[in-house]
Each structure stands twice: as C-alpha cells, then as structure tokens.
Amino acid sequence: MKLQRHGLVVALAAAGAILLAACGSDPNAGGSGAGATSSANSPAVDCNGKAGLTAEGSSAQKNAMDVFAQAYQAKCANSKIAYNPTGSGAGVKQFTAGLVDFGGSDSALGSAESGPAATRCQNNPAWNLPLVFGPVAIAYKVAGADSLTLDGETAAKIFNGRITTWNDPAIAALNSGVTLPAAPINVVFRSDDSGTTDNFQKYLKASSKGAWTQDAGKKFTGGVGSGAQGSAGVAQAIAATEGSIGYVELSFAQDNELGIAKIDSGAGAVELTDANVGKAIAGVTVTGQGNDLVLDLTKTYAEPPAGSYPLFLATYEIVCSKGYDAATATAVKSFLTVAATDGQANLSAAGYAPLPAEFQQKLLTAIQAIA
C-alpha cells in the first residue's frame, strides 16, 4: 500500500475521539495499530509530570509529532507538547543549550556534539532514540514525465552537476518509453543544516559507485542548484519551477503533488510504498551501545534487500539518560512511551513508516531507563 496523507484529519479526529472515550487518563490504556503495541501490552504512562513539554528540531518529523501530540493529549488530558520544526541542526543546538526538553535530529549526535550534550545532561550521556522512520522522496516536476526512475549513480551525477539536462542518455537509459525534455535540470536543496541532507548525501555516497565524490553532512555539498529553507521550502520551490528536482520527505512531496522517482538498486525500479520501505528498514542494525540506539544505515543504502526502497531516514529524539528534574523526566518518558505505542497507529496516513516491531521493544526499554 502506498503511503498516503489523504484522510489524515478525519482519521486523527476519529482516533482521538475513541481514545478520549475509552482511555481518559487511565495509565494502562492504549491504542493499537500497524507497528504499535496493543492496549493490553502498552507500558503504564504516568500523566503527573511536567504539563508542558518543549522540543525542537527535525522538520522531517513535524507531521509525525502532530500525530504523537494528539495521542499524548488523549492519554494525558492535561499534558501538551510544543514542537518547533526548525531543522536538525537547530534542534541539537537548542537541546544542548538546555532550551528544550529534547531535540529531534535526522542524524545521531556526532562526536563534536556528544560532549556538550552530556554537559547539558548534568554530565550524563545523551541518548539517540530512533522514533520516526521517514521515506525520502526524490521529488521532481517535469511536464510529461508521469514516471521517472533513477539509480544511485545517476542521482549523484544530477545532484553534483555532472548531468545537467533531462534528456541526458544516462537518464533516458533508465526510463525507456518516457519522453524527457531537452531542458535544464534545476536542482533544489536544503539551505539550512539538515539531517535529511545528511542522510540523502550518505545514500548518494553509498549507492553511486563513486559518482558522489563530495562529503556527506548536514550542509549540501553538491555545489549546484538553489537552496530553500526547510522541507516545506524545498517542496514549494520544486512545485514552483518546471524542470526541478530535489530531495524531501514523502509527506511534503505529496502535499505539493510532486512526482516521486522510483529507485533502481540493480534489480529493477522500486516504487516508494509502505511495504517496500519496510523491507529496507527490516535490515538495519543498531550500532550504538546499550540504550543509545544509533542505527547503521550505510549498509542498507549500499546493499538494500531486493525489492526494497532504500532511501529513508530515522529521526532520533535526543534525550538525557539522566539529569532531568523529576517532573520533566516523567513527562519525557510518558510522551515517548505514547509516541512509540499508541502514536504509531496513524503514521502511515501521515507519510511515515510505522516503527518496526524489532525496534519497538528496544526503544521502550531505553525510554523506561531515562532517569
């Protein structure tokens, strides 16, 4: 089934009404859905912590956070969360400065970020908890091209300026029967520090057979194109200019009615669907230690399972393992517990892949260990 946002408002309203009627603030109640635990198995939620949580960061998870916020308030009627989608770089900085309760980042903390984050946590480690899996679309607007297939090598050459026109032979070879114009390619990239950019460039580096010679990182390094602020800005810029292509989370591509390229990893074109993304996520391994759940996506990018769509990111919630005051620790744990269970039910409708079952228990174990 394709990931779709259509009907999200109705689905959320219905889900909220059911939860409010059935759960109230009962700590043992919970919803169920694809990838989420049933109410019988959901961990207890303590609704007596800090009433107003604050968080900031990844714009890629903004729509997921809206889903989680509604599930959280349905579970804990007097509790709210304010999430500011300013980008991964800003989220890490705000968390490290102690200005928000947790940060959202599409990349795990780097070595230069871990020390300041630990200082913010009263000299305790900060943990990277993967809560949201978001497919990244290579989105485009090309008149007459209702279908577009790219592989890692061709995509890399587009985004570093080695392929500059839509009818280039390399693109044509992957798109038999599709009429592509002899028009320039307009690349659009994220101008702000972005974990989406980091993951996209890691994908290009891993999958392009050496065609991507630039670095990865939260700044776009391709050297071509025009920048736009945030995921919404990139999608709007592509939609506004014929012949444009960029990388953006699925929900933003859908909202702007953009074309979404299929990816050929060597065994044929693969469409971006729930099932195809799930095949790729299932092969990812955890490389972090203990409850620091850092994921290794590079191998999946380079050698995805057959029939899988390999371009996705994991958004981490950056939290203190210890160091919160008691009320904040209680609220952070409660929100993340609801997000990892009840909150997973409506993620597919919002453009995300529900949390894989193999990660859910590890994630809940880490959440409960926050002190």
Side-chain angles (χ1 to χ4, degrees):
M1 179 182 70
K2 290 185 180 180
L3 294 160
Q4 296 290 341
R5 286 177 53 92
H6 303 302
L8 174 59
V9 173
V10 175
L12 288 180
I18 293 170
L19 284 168
L20 284 168
C23 304
S25 58
D26 180 359
N28 295 310
S32 62
T37 56
S38 66
S39 58
N41 297 321
S42 295
V45 172
D46 185 346
C47 296
N48 296 312
K50 181 179 178 180
L53 283 175
T54 58
E56 185 166 342
S58 166
S59 61
Q61 69 168 358
K62 168 62 170 63
N63 295 324
M65 292 297 287
D66 290 344
V67 174
F68 298 156
Q70 182 153 346
Y72 181 47
Q73 195 164 13
K75 181 77 77 171
C76 297
N78 296 320
S79 299
K80 296 182 180 179
I81 181 168
Y83 184 76
N84 191 6
T86 54
S88 296
V92 171
K93 290 175 183 176
Q94 294 292 85
F95 171 76
T96 299
L99 299 177
V100 293
D101 297 317
F102 63 89
S105 177
D106 303 326
S107 300
L109 291 173
S111 56
E113 298 167 326
S114 296
T119 300
R120 177 261 194 270
C121 295
Q122 308 299 317
N123 297 318
N124 296 291
W127 286 341
N128 301 273
L129 303 183
L131 181 62
V132 178
F133 288 93
V136 176
I138 300 178
Y140 66 95
K141 183 178 181 181
V142 181
D146 295 331
S147 175
L148 179 69
T149 297
L150 298 173
D151 58 16
E153 182 177 0
T154 304
K157 290 179 179 178
I158 290 172
F159 282 91
N160 65 16
R162 293 169 63 185
I163 292 177
T164 60
T165 59
W166 281 106
N167 65 341
D168 186 280
I171 302 177
L174 293 165
N175 292 276
S176 178
V178 178
T179 300
L180 295 165
I185 296 174
N186 176 51
V187 169
V188 182
F189 60 86
R190 284 281 293 268
S191 60
D192 52 320
D193 284 4
S194 165
T196 308
T197 297
D198 189 23
N199 280 274
F200 181 62
Q201 294 184 138
K202 286 177 178 175
Y203 165 75
L204 294 179
K205 198 169 188 70
S207 66
S208 67
K209 302 176 182 177
W212 186 260
T213 57
Q214 291 76 14
D215 293 328
K218 294 179 181 177
K219 286 287 190 185
F220 180 70
T221 61
V224 296
S226 56
Q229 180 77 20
S231 299
V234 171
Q236 290 163 7
I238 297 169
T241 306
E242 182 63 33
S244 292
I245 189 169
Y247 55 93
V248 69
E249 296 77 20
L250 174 62
S251 59
F252 294 95
Q254 291 175 327
D255 285 346
N256 287 273
E257 299 182 345
L258 300 175
I260 298 173
K262 302 180 180 74
I263 291 180
D264 187 343
S265 299
V270 177
E271 188 177 1
L272 199 172
T273 68
D274 249 344
N276 294 341
V277 175
K279 290 177 185 177
I281 292 174
V284 176
T285 58
V286 177
T287 59
Q289 299 298 310
N291 290 319
D292 185 23
L293 304 181
V294 178
L295 305 178
D296 178 11
L297 300 183
T298 302
K299 184 176 181 181
T300 301
Y301 291 158
E303 301 175 0
S308 68
Y309 182 91
L311 181 50
F312 65 93
L313 57 82
T315 296
Y316 298 91
E317 312 314 325
I318 311 299
V319 303
C320 290
S321 59
K322 297 180 181 179
Y324 290 121
D325 62 79
T328 301
T330 296
V332 169
K333 292 168 67 173
S334 296
F335 171 76
L336 294 178
T337 297
V338 172
T341 53
D342 297 359
Q344 296 290 303
N346 291 307
L347 283 188
S348 180
Y352 303 89
L355 191 69
E358 53 264 42
F359 287 107
Q360 189 178 50
Q361 190 54 55
K362 287 183 179 181
L363 180 60
L364 289 170
T365 296
I367 292 168
Q368 294 308 306
I370 294 171

